[in-house]
Amino acid sequence: MSATTIPALTDTVTLPCGAILPNRVMKSALSEALAGADNAPNHALEQLYRRWAHGGFGLVVTGNVMVDRCHLGEPGNVVIEDDRHLDALRRVAAQFNEVDTVCLVQLNHPGRQSNPLADIKTVAPSAVALDIPGAPTPRALTGSEISDIIDRFATAAAVCESAGFAGVQVHAVHGYLVTQFLSPLTNKRDDEWGGDPIRRRRFLLEIVAAIRARVSPGFAVGVKLNSADFQRGGFTEEESREVVAALVAEGIDLLEISGGSYESPAMMGAAKASTAAREAYFLDYARTVIELAGAVPVAVTGGFRTATAMSEAVAAGDCAIIGLGRPTCLDPQAATNVLASPGARLTAGQVQLPFARAALVRPLQSMLDLQWHTDQLHRLGKGKNPDPKRAWWRTAMSATWRNGADTLRPKRGGGR
């Protein structure tokens, strides 16, 4: 390959649907928990996304938009069940009108990872509880409920297109409902939705097909997929590659690779030891699916911190797009800085609890770390700058208030 054909971070990327990304740096999804009344987008989200829209990214993916208001990942999730919040969604999408940055809405259902303090029974493919102390046992979904959830994803995507977004991304990582269907640890069904890898991936494939049937050909449909869930007997890299091939055949426009779950949080750095030299946690896996993906661009999120490592990954053909998550909480201009300086280095905060690192503490520390970064997003939504010195105990207090506030809990009977 000649030097003139080696891709650079500043090169454009054309998705199969025709959308053009102005560069190869992506703001990956981060759950903002900033929704207003009735789980609608509000001014704080508009301000936050305006900061990222002008941050130099080729692609921005929103965080964790739920398809059922009765099942939230955390209080403050935006919910799209119908077009009741269409005007508010349009105001968020409008933040990208002045720039070339493409924005996709990440759609999700938490399944058994619904807010445990909510007044509703959690659901999952099978009645298997999270391996976290105190986690409730979910109720297994019925066939009709599964079909309803698939339709909810498609409805939400159609509303996103009406609002002016360029596309959607199906959330199939980090232990949420799609991941629960994919993993043999959480999907113990023996019907058409489980029992072998082909039936376990049917839920995801039908979501993609249902979305495709409801949106125009130029509307992007992406998937964020686990390389593996890093648990013994769970979703493996071999199965993941089979899912990639099936998704490409279904006609997706973008594949983002991540990995892990809140039980085994590789996305928080647990996999870093074997990949420290390259920074990216999932680059080895991504390299194995590039050929399977064909014309579908592959993005890798997790661990990138230097412009050098990002450039090398793209130049080597290991991935087409670099995903940045936590660093964008402290630097909403992260892409501008990376693209302008080959020596740029990004930072992300890390919560370190002052007591023993016992196995029981690690899930708590991972969740607290996520909340610490969410607190930075809340500052940005208020028009403030991030606070990299924020104390862990302040985050613990804010997490307790947000997750326990009665006014923010999803109520029974609120579904479509």
Side-chain angles (χ1 to χ4, degrees):
M1 181 181 290
S2 68
T4 58
T5 61
I6 295 176
L9 290 177
T10 54
D11 289 349
T12 61
V13 179
T14 301
L15 305 185
C17 66
I20 299 175
L21 313 185
N23 62 63
R24 295 170 182 262
V25 183
M26 171 181 75
K27 197 291 290 182
S28 190
L30 297 162
S31 189
E32 312 95 0
L34 270 173
D38 198 29
N39 300 101
N42 55 14
H43 182 63
L45 273 172
E46 293 171 33
Q47 286 206 114
L48 174 59
Y49 276 92
R50 184 166 184 81
R51 294 288 294 271
W52 281 326
H54 292 268
F57 299 95
L59 174 64
V60 167
V61 184
T62 74
N64 235 14
V65 172
M66 298 295 163
V67 299
D68 188 335
R69 69 188 56 253
C70 287
H71 299 277
L72 306 183
E74 54 272 319
N77 288 145
V78 171
V79 176
I80 303 177
E81 291 184 323
D82 47 41
D83 62 1
R84 75 184 76 177
H85 301 314
L86 185 57
D87 288 343
L89 289 164
R90 282 173 173 158
R91 288 192 291 271
V92 176
Q95 305 308 312
F96 297 87
N97 289 347
E98 301 172 5
V99 296
D100 294 330
T101 300
V102 172
C103 183
L104 307 185
V105 177
Q106 186 186 73
L107 301 179
N108 189 19
H109 188 297
R112 67 176 186 169
Q113 289 183 178
S114 293
N115 177 14
L117 298 179
D119 184 26
I120 193 166
K121 179 76 170 177
T122 59
V123 295
S126 303
V128 179
L130 277 165
D131 187 18
I132 294 176
T137 300
R139 175 179 60 79
L141 288 160
T142 66
S144 61
E145 288 174 324
I146 293 171
S147 297
D148 176 70
I149 293 172
I150 291 169
D151 184 63
R152 285 175 178 272
F153 274 90
T155 296
V159 172
C160 289
E161 183 172 27
S162 297
F165 291 100
V168 294
Q169 181 190 71
V170 178
H171 198 326
V173 295
H174 304 164
Y176 291 103
L177 185 61
V178 176
T179 315
Q180 293 160 32
F181 270 92
L182 290 172
S183 175
L185 291 177
T186 47
N187 187 345
K188 304 292 187 180
R189 305 176 74 99
D190 58 4
D191 60 4
E192 65 268 37
W193 302 105
D196 57 50
I198 294 175
R199 286 179 287 174
R200 287 199 301 271
R201 63 178 176 254
R202 180 185 172 191
F203 180 64
L204 172 57
L205 296 178
E206 294 217 2
I207 287 173
V208 172
I211 292 173
R212 273 279 176 236
R214 295 281 293 277
V215 300
S216 65
F219 188 75
V221 180
V223 173
K224 187 170 185 177
L225 183 70
N226 265 2
S227 59
D229 56 23
F230 300 98
Q231 292 175 282
R232 188 181 301 275
F235 185 63
T236 65
E237 289 191 0
E238 181 178 355
E239 286 185 39
S240 183
R241 281 187 282 271
E242 293 173 355
V243 174
V244 170
L247 287 170
V248 171
E250 199 64 54
I252 63 170
D253 296 293
L254 177 71
L255 177 67
E256 181 184 359
I257 299 300
S258 187
S261 67
Y262 295 107
E263 294 173 307
S264 182
M267 73 284 195
M268 300 304 297
K272 191 174 182 180
S274 64
T275 53
R278 294 179 314 285
E279 298 182 15
Y281 308 147
F282 311 110
L283 205 56
D284 286 343
Y285 167 82
R287 188 180 296 114
T288 70
V289 300
I290 289 293
E291 186 173 346
L292 285 174
V296 177
V298 175
V300 172
T301 297
F304 281 112
R305 294 294 180 266
T306 66
T308 298
M310 299 176 205
S311 297
E312 289 176 351
V314 168
D318 294 336
C319 62
I321 299 168
I322 303 297
L324 300 176
R326 291 183 296 164
T328 70
C329 299
L330 294 179
D331 183 7
Q333 298 286 321
T336 295
N337 295 333
V338 164
L339 296 173
S341 174
R345 176 179 289 274
L346 304 176
T347 60
Q350 185 173 10
V351 172
Q352 193 67 56
L353 297 177
F355 35 86
R357 301 180 185 178
L360 291 177
V361 174
R362 290 182 191 127
L364 172 62
Q365 184 159 303
S366 296
M367 288 185 280
L368 197 61
D369 192 283
L370 289 173
Q371 184 63 57
W372 187 92
H373 286 87
T374 300
D375 289 345
Q376 308 299 338
L377 302 187
H378 284 233
R379 291 181 62 86
L380 291 170
K382 293 176 181 177
K384 300 178 180 181
N385 288 323
D387 176 14
K389 295 183 178 180
R390 181 176 176 82
W392 70 268
W393 58 267
R394 290 186 179 276
T395 288
M397 290 177 63
S398 66
T400 300
W401 182 85
R402 285 178 192 145
N403 288 303
D406 287 337
T407 56
L408 293 177
R409 294 182 188 176
K411 305 299 182 182
R412 293 187 185 275
R416 184 179 52 186

